[in-house]
Amino acid sequence: MDICFLISTYNRQESCQRLVDGLQGLGHIVVVNDGSDYVINGCEQYIHRPHMGRSGYFVIVNLLWSHRGRYKYYMMLPDDFVICESQIKQAVELWESISDPQKICLNLYADRIGCSCWTNFIPIEKETVWHTQWVDMCFLCEDRFFKEVPQISMPFVYRGFGRSSGVGAYISRRLNKKKYNMYQVKESLVDIQEEHHNTQMHRMDNAGTHKRSRRWSSQV
């Protein structure tokens, strides 16, 4: 399948490696490591130093997206999830079945169902998906997504998001303002790993600071 998997990782070597192992032969895999001292095998990997944490997560995402290449589909995946070939095919089929010229992305994780999130839009239930107008960092999209969100510039946005990065909110509000439509699956097409229950993004010692570095990473 003509697809690129985009993964950021921090302090989760084992779960990220399991995710990447399960993606072998299914598409191109790009991983950006946010300053952790481990290598993920079987992918194109970049290591950013120093560690940026949640306040600098947007820098990690920008770096990841800059190495995405040219593919028909892109799938953003957290390093504590896994997805199999049948789930990937189902996600693509579901995406293609959405008859909407303004569709921009499909959230692959079924959480916060029916909740208004970041854009004050009340989700609308469709036949096969939810129309939500929000997206978090586990989604399927095409290249148009990146043309509409080419760079995330959000140090000024981060304040007020507490222990969250604010990246999902930034993306959702930008695309909503541009009148694009964001959708969500009714049943998850990804599975969570045990490490998901031990959050890294929300840890108090993972605040980080985007001011610490202006350098991009080296390739492994």
Side-chain angles (χ1 to χ4, degrees):
M1 186 179 295
D2 189 13
I3 187 169
C4 179
F5 302 101
L6 301 168
I7 303 164
S8 65
T9 187
Y10 168 65
N11 202 26
R12 283 197 177 117
Q13 181 176 7
E14 292 184 2
S15 63
C16 188
Q17 190 64 66
R18 283 193 293 268
L19 170 60
V20 169
D21 288 347
L23 296 174
Q24 295 302 307
L26 301 179
H28 187 62
I29 309 167
V30 181
V31 173
V32 168
N33 187 326
D34 184 15
S36 295
D37 292 326
Y38 57 78
V39 172
I40 301 300
N41 298 310
C43 64
E44 177 185 342
Q45 182 181 225
Y46 299 86
I47 298 178
H48 186 286
R49 290 192 174 92
H51 170 59
M52 299 304 289
R54 63 178 173 272
S55 67
Y57 178 59
F58 73 100
V59 175
I60 302 303
V61 172
N62 284 339
L63 175 59
L64 179 60
W65 291 357
S66 74
H67 291 288
R68 70 183 184 274
R70 300 183 67 176
Y71 295 87
K72 170 64 175 173
Y73 304 106
Y74 300 89
M75 191 172 282
M76 185 88 179
L77 294 168
D79 64 355
D80 54 354
F81 283 24
V82 287
I83 188 169
C84 66
E85 183 174 8
S86 62
Q87 289 171 316
I88 294 167
K89 289 182 178 179
Q90 188 176 349
V92 171
E93 290 172 358
L94 187 59
W95 170 253
E96 294 294 350
S97 73
I98 302 173
S99 181
D100 177 4
Q102 291 301 105
K103 68 181 181 182
I104 194 73
C105 58
L106 174 65
N107 208 346
L108 301 174
Y109 185 47
D111 66 334
R112 292 173 275 185
I113 296 294
C115 295
S116 175
C117 188
W118 300 319
T119 61
N120 296 320
F121 180 88
I122 303 300
I124 300 172
E125 186 175 9
K126 305 290 185 178
E127 287 188 13
T128 57
V129 292
W130 284 93
H131 177 193
T132 62
Q133 289 309 91
W134 67 268
V135 67
D136 215 342
M137 307 309 289
C138 181
F139 60 86
L140 173 71
C141 68
E142 297 184 43
D143 192 60
R144 180 165 68 169
F145 177 96
F146 303 105
K147 291 179 180 178
E148 298 301 333
V149 191
Q151 285 279 313
I152 301 172
S153 178
M154 52 174 303
F156 63 95
V157 176
Y158 174 72
R159 289 175 297 179
F161 278 96
R163 289 193 291 167
S164 295
S165 71
V167 172
Y170 176 91
I171 295 170
S172 299
R173 289 168 177 169
R174 181 181 177 90
L175 293 175
N176 183 62
K177 186 176 181 180
K178 286 175 169 284
K179 307 300 183 183
Y180 285 105
N181 293 327
M182 291 162 273
Y183 293 90
Q184 180 185 30
V185 297
K186 289 187 174 181
E187 296 184 4
S188 291
L189 291 177
V190 289
D191 295 307
I192 60 174
Q193 300 191 53
E194 183 63 30
E195 287 85 345
H196 179 74
H197 302 292
N198 182 18
T199 180
Q200 298 297 324
M201 180 66 73
H202 298 164
R203 283 172 46 177
M204 293 301 294
D205 61 352
N206 189 34
T209 171
H210 66 276
K211 296 180 180 179
R212 291 174 59 191
S213 174
R214 297 180 183 275
R215 296 183 294 109
W216 290 123
S217 68
S218 58
Q219 184 175 0
V220 173

